[in-house]
């Protein structure tokens, strides 16, 4: 199999930094015909870290699942570097999926494989590199996330934070243009969470990849986000978009300010 | 202990004087009495006097709220409740608590239930047909591109399905041979026909029981394991991870399991046939039929086509066991009980399909005179 991966270093000429790498247009998502989000439209700029946030049950992870083509939307399109993942099938769909890497909330590492074997898997499936070459790349990716000493460990033998880092290494195996991270800090202690934030920031800076992160952890949002979009289940759409600090201090929507300032909704005494 | 004293005031109001502890262990009697007292005076306003209440917890507050809610707002009032208990009571809005804000969904009637069931069966059948198509395509691809198969996984699964199943297959097959021989030999002896028990065991085990019992054992053992393993992967989003890597879960997860089952089930069937014959031969020794006689009798009555009739079935059974196990695993929903449900469905539908397909084989063999 020929290796025709599209990496951040191999950006098509038409794709300058000003052209959005993801365009979500009029996306309506939901299950069983019931819409959770309606007519959502936004862009993700090349090389930025965009955080999708919202309250619990607002549909953040659902939106992410539709953006990576796991679920079919009720309406709308998701253009990844110009190609619609919603309508693509077969080889066209595989070509789009080659451009993205996904880290799931649970890590979703394959339990019967070591960390290195997890990272090797996409390389074995998509490239014609030799086993030794693939091994070297897998070790490099794991060392990039600080797991050089754990390549032979099974996922169950390392901590939750390490599993998430290994999942990021696997997502980066084919040097995708875009990395989607679903709740990277969930279930981690503050120090591990901060380390993961620093890792994301460092990878973004050094690799030039675009990150789309779903989270509602405020420290993480302020640490990593270049820009946020905030979704809300009451309006079934985006209620705020922009720099998180500006939104915290200047948003005209009191609920948005309340969210960023971590204030509870007042209840009757 | 809570007590309730009922009296009527000079201004016409009914007074319910509560005293003692209002907690879950002590209010049952006064709760019923209080309701009756309010119901017995429908025209009067009611005052619940809590001046002598020593203790009131959540259960006590529930009692007070229920008494207040017996009438329209304002007709029942709670008075003299100690401030610390009053604060507890004030946390609740009587109207809101009394109203069921999340009533259970309307129960479907019989016709709707039948419709939902039929739609579920149709949907399941559609999934099975789609899955059969996807699996066949993946197997065809594996046949044309053997290097695409994850052989490491295949050998690992072969060990689980085949080698690890040998003890249980040996035990069940041996006992089956013993039981079949023993139960048949007793009535046959009355006619002096014990020797024909060898014929019965030879034909029954090789044509029918050997393949079927092995397949049922594997459905319970390996089919369930496939469903649980893939189901857990589904719940842990590992199947999603494969999908977003652009890897086909059917090719990645199902193909190695079907290949492993195809390799191991016929071998286990052969093993089960031999062990059950051994069990039968040993039993018949106690009926004075020597081992050599047993072997000669089996050789005489069982021919190649009988053996093949059972052996061919084992390949089809292998596909059914692995296919159903994997399908149920991939269909696993979210939640803690989902993997258990998937496993149960894999075993039940696997066994039902095995028996049904075995019946079809019996009919076909009859038509083809095999």
């Amino acid at each position: 199999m020929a290796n025709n991966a599209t990496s951040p270093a191999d950006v098509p000429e038409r794709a300058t930094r000003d052209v959005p790498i993801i365009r979500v247009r009029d996306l309506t998502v939901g299950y069983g015909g019931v819409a959770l989000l309606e007519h959502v439209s936004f862009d993700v700029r090349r090389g930025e870290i965009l955080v999708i946030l919202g309250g619990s049950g607002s549909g953040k992870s659902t939106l992410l699942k539709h953006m990576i083509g796991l679920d079919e939307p009720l309406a709308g399109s998701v253009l990844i570097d110009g190609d619609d993942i919603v309508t693509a099938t077969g080889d066209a769909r595989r070509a789009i999926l080659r451009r993205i890497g996904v880290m799931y909330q649970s890590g979703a590492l394959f339990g019967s494989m070591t960390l290195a074997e997890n990272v090797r898997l996409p390389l074995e499936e998509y490239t014609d590199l030799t086993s030794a070459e693939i091994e070297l790349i897998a070790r490099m990716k794991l060392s990039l996330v600080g797991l050089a000493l754990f390549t032979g460990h099974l996922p169950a033998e390392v901590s939750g934070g390490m599993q998430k880092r290994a999942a990021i290494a696997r997502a980066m195996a084919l040097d995708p243009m875009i990395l989607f991270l679903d709740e990277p800090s969930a279930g981690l202690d503050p120090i591990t969470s901060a380390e993961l934030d620093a890792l994301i920031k460092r990878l973004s800076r050094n690799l030039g990849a675009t990150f789309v992160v779903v989270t509602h952890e405020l420290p993480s949002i302020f640490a990593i986000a270049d820009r946020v979009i905030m979704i809300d289940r009451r309006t079934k759409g985006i209620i705020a978009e922009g720099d998180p600090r500006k939104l915290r201090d200047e948003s005209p929507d009191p609920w948005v300010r309340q969210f960023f300032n971590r204030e509870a909704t007042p209840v009757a005494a | 202990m809570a007590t309730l004293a009922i009296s009527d005031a000079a201004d016409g109001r009914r007074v319910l004087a509560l005293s003692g502890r209002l907690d879950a262990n002590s209010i049952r009697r006064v709760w019923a009495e209080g309701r009756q007292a309010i119901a017995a005076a429908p025209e009067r306003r009611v005052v619940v006097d809590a001046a002598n209440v020593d203790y009131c917890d959540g259960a006590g507050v529930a009692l007070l709220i229920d008494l207040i809610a017996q009438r329209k707002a304002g007709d029942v009032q709670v008075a003299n409740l100690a401030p610390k208990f009053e604060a507890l009571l004030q946390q609740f809005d009587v109207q809101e608590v009394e109203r069921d804000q999340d009533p259970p969904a309307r129960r479907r009637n019989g016709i709707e239930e039948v419709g939902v069931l039929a739609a579920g069966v149709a949907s399941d059948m559609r999934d099975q047909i789609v899955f059969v198509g996807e699996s066949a395509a993946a197997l065809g691809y594996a046949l044309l591109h053997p290097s695409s198969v994850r052989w490491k996984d295949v050998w690992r699964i072969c060990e689980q399905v085949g080698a690890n199943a040998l003890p249980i297959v040996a035990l069940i097959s041996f006992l089956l041979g013993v039981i079949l021989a023993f139960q048949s030999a007793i009535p046959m002896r009355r006619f002096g026909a014990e020797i024909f028990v060898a014929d019965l065991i030879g034909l029954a085990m090789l044509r029918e029981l050997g393949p079927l019992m092995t397949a049922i054992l594997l459905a319970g053992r390996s089919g369930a394991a496939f469903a649980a393993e893939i189901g857990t992967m589904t719940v842990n989003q590992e199947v999603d991870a494969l999908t977003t890597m652009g890897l086909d879960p059917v090719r990645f997860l199902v193909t190695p399991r079907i290949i492993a089952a195809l390799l191991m089930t016929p071998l286990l069937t052969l093993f089960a046939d031999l062990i059950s014959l051994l069990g039968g031969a040993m039993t018949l020794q106690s009926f004075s039929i020597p081992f050599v006689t047993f072997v000669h009798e089996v050789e005489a009555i069982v021919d190649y086509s009988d053996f093949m009739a059972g052996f061919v079935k084992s390949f089809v059974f292998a596909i059914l066991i692995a296919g159903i196990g994997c399908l149920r695993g991939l269909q696993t929903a979210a939640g803690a009980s989902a993997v258990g449900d998937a496993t149960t469905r894999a075993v039940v539908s696997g066994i039902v399909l095995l028996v049904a397909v075995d019946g079809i084989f019996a009919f076909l063999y009859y038509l083809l005179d095999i």
Side-chain angles (χ1 to χ4, degrees):
Chain A
M1 278 177 283
N3 179 10
N4 56 354
T6 314
S7 71
D10 179 28
V11 176
E13 200 173 315
R14 64 189 161 96
T16 64
R17 194 173 170 86
D18 298 332
V19 178
I21 196 165
I22 303 175
R23 289 172 190 261
V24 176
R25 289 290 175 271
D26 265 335
L27 195 69
T28 298
V29 305
Y31 297 107
V34 180
L36 273 174
L37 298 169
E38 288 177 337
H39 307 295
V40 172
S41 296
F42 62 93
D43 290 338
V44 183
R45 297 170 198 147
R46 199 171 294 273
E48 76 171 341
I49 300 179
L50 175 83
V51 172
I52 299 172
L53 55 92
S56 298
S58 58
K60 303 182 295 291
S61 294
T62 303
L63 176 60
L64 186 84
K65 276 185 164 185
H66 286 77
M67 288 176 73
I68 60 180
L70 267 183
D71 289 334
E72 201 175 324
L74 301 173
S77 61
V78 178
L79 301 176
I80 302 221
D81 201 28
D83 300 317
D84 190 355
I85 197 169
V86 174
T87 53
T89 55
D91 286 344
R93 188 181 181 81
R94 277 167 66 89
I96 297 173
L97 291 172
R98 288 285 312 268
R99 298 174 208 159
I100 69 172
V102 185
M103 192 217 84
Y104 291 88
Q105 191 172 344
S106 62
L109 295 170
F110 303 116
S112 60
M113 297 179 179
T114 64
L115 301 190
E117 285 170 342
N118 266 282
V119 181
R120 287 176 60 109
L121 179 65
L123 292 159
E124 286 169 352
E125 293 292 326
Y126 277 107
T127 72
D128 53 7
L129 297 171
T130 66
S131 181
E133 290 161 349
I134 287 175
E135 182 65 25
L136 178 64
I137 295 173
R139 281 210 303 271
M140 280 170 52
K141 300 291 179 188
L142 283 167
S143 97
L144 208 56
V145 296
L147 291 174
L149 299 176
F150 298 90
T151 55
H153 284 60
L154 291 170
E157 294 169 345
V158 298
S159 69
M162 288 174 169
Q163 287 182 21
K164 297 211 173 186
R165 281 190 276 156
I168 292 178
R170 185 179 67 183
M172 294 190 308
L174 292 167
D175 295 311
M177 304 167 82
I178 310 160
L179 277 159
F180 291 90
L181 312 182
D182 187 9
E183 304 268 10
S185 313
L188 299 181
D189 65 76
I191 295 171
T192 311
S193 180
E195 287 169 355
L196 201 62
D197 291 341
L199 172 69
I200 293 167
K201 200 75 183 165
R202 180 162 55 83
L203 292 174
S204 165
R205 191 176 59 239
N206 296 344
L207 303 179
T210 305
F211 281 76
V212 178
V213 183
V214 165
T215 185
H216 53 199
E217 303 274 341
L218 284 176
S220 289
I221 293 165
F222 289 119
I224 63 174
D226 292 325
R227 199 162 60 89
V228 301
I229 62 165
M230 190 167 193
I231 55 177
D232 183 49
R233 68 176 163 191
R234 290 164 299 182
T235 61
K236 296 186 176 181
I238 296 173
I239 54 168
E241 185 173 354
D243 180 276
R245 286 169 188 79
K246 277 190 178 170
L247 290 174
R248 178 188 59 193
D249 301 331
E250 299 168 13
S251 172
D253 186 333
W255 193 84
V256 174
R257 292 198 306 276
Q258 188 188 339
F259 184 98
F260 279 109
N261 287 301
R262 205 173 180 277
E263 291 166 348
T265 303
V267 291
Chain B
M1 191 65 192
T3 56
L4 178 69
I6 302 162
S7 60
D8 292 327
D11 60 2
R13 291 187 300 174
R14 171 149 285 190
V15 178
L16 309 184
L18 281 167
S19 58
R21 283 180 69 87
L22 299 186
D23 62 19
N25 296 324
S26 58
I27 57 174
R28 184 177 173 190
R29 194 173 53 81
V30 297
W31 197 321
E33 288 174 359
R35 279 183 155 214
Q36 282 170 6
I38 294 172
E43 303 301 321
R44 296 182 193 172
R45 294 167 72 87
V46 177
V47 174
V48 178
D49 182 2
N52 294 320
V53 169
D54 306 325
Y55 174 83
C56 179
D57 62 9
V61 169
L63 162 66
L64 296 176
I65 285 176
D66 187 57
L67 294 179
I68 293 168
Q70 294 303 308
R71 294 273 184 85
K72 69 180 194 297
D75 273 9
V76 178
Q77 290 178 323
V78 176
N80 304 323
L81 188 62
K84 59 180 176 180
F85 304 138
E86 182 69 31
L88 196 60
L89 179 62
Q90 289 306 320
Q91 286 192 88
F92 302 99
D93 179 328
V94 174
Q95 303 300 324
E96 196 175 286
V97 173
E98 277 291 313
R99 192 178 71 244
D100 186 356
Q101 296 179 70
D102 187 18
R106 185 182 68 86
R107 287 193 63 174
R108 290 191 283 258
N109 62 35
I111 294 171
E112 285 174 317
E113 287 286 355
V114 171
V116 168
L117 196 67
V121 170
S123 168
D124 191 42
M125 283 177 70
R126 189 178 60 89
D127 288 349
Q128 289 190 31
I129 291 167
V130 169
F131 181 76
V132 167
E134 287 178 346
S135 303
L139 275 176
Y141 186 84
L143 206 65
L144 295 173
H145 305 89
S147 62
S148 72
V149 177
R150 298 186 63 80
W151 291 106
K152 194 175 152 189
D153 287 347
V154 172
W155 304 135
R156 178 179 61 82
I157 298 163
C158 275
E159 185 185 340
Q160 291 170 355
V161 174
N164 295 351
L166 279 176
I168 184 73
V169 171
L171 178 70
I172 298 295
S173 308
F174 183 79
L175 290 177
L176 201 62
V178 169
I179 293 164
L180 202 59
F182 201 72
Q183 295 295 340
S184 320
I186 293 170
M188 293 286 232
R189 188 165 55 180
R190 293 166 62 189
F191 305 103
E194 297 102 312
I195 187 62
F196 295 115
V197 173
D199 303 18
L200 186 148
I201 294 172
L203 284 172
M205 292 309 301
L206 267 63
R207 284 185 69 98
E208 203 60 54
L209 290 178
L212 188 62
M213 288 307 294
T214 307
I216 288 175
L217 271 176
L218 288 184
R221 194 179 175 282
S222 304
F226 292 167
E229 191 177 354
I230 296 177
T232 306
M233 291 181 77
T234 306
V235 171
N236 287 343
Q237 294 184 297
E238 291 172 42
V239 175
D240 285 350
L242 279 176
T243 307
T244 45
M245 279 182 209
L247 306 180
D248 179 12
V250 171
R251 183 174 77 76
F252 194 83
L253 298 173
V254 180
T255 305
R257 283 167 176 79
I258 291 182
I259 292 174
L262 273 171
L263 292 173
M264 290 297 112
T265 310
L267 287 180
L268 285 173
T269 301
L270 198 62
F271 179 69
D273 289 346
L274 291 173
I275 295 289
S276 59
L277 290 178
L278 181 69
M282 287 174 68
T283 307
L284 287 184
Q285 291 218 331
S286 62
F287 287 86
S288 305
I289 295 176
F291 192 75
V292 169
T293 311
F294 179 88
V295 171
H296 284 159
E297 188 63 27
V298 171
E299 271 181 345
I301 196 73
V302 177
D303 62 21
Y304 186 68
S305 67
D306 294 318
F307 166 71
M308 285 308 290
F311 198 62
V312 166
K313 278 197 284 193
S314 67
F315 287 94
V316 179
F317 289 165
I319 294 173
L320 284 177
I321 294 162
I324 283 290
C326 295
L327 172 65
R328 296 309 184 206
L330 289 171
Q331 286 175 331
T332 304
S337 62
V339 176
D341 290 342
T343 310
T344 307
R345 292 178 71 207
V347 175
V348 172
S349 47
I351 291 175
V352 169
L353 268 178
L354 285 174
V355 174
V357 170
D358 194 50
I360 294 170
F361 267 112
F363 183 64
L364 280 178
Y365 288 163
Y366 173 76
L367 286 182
L368 299 171
D369 197 22
I370 295 173

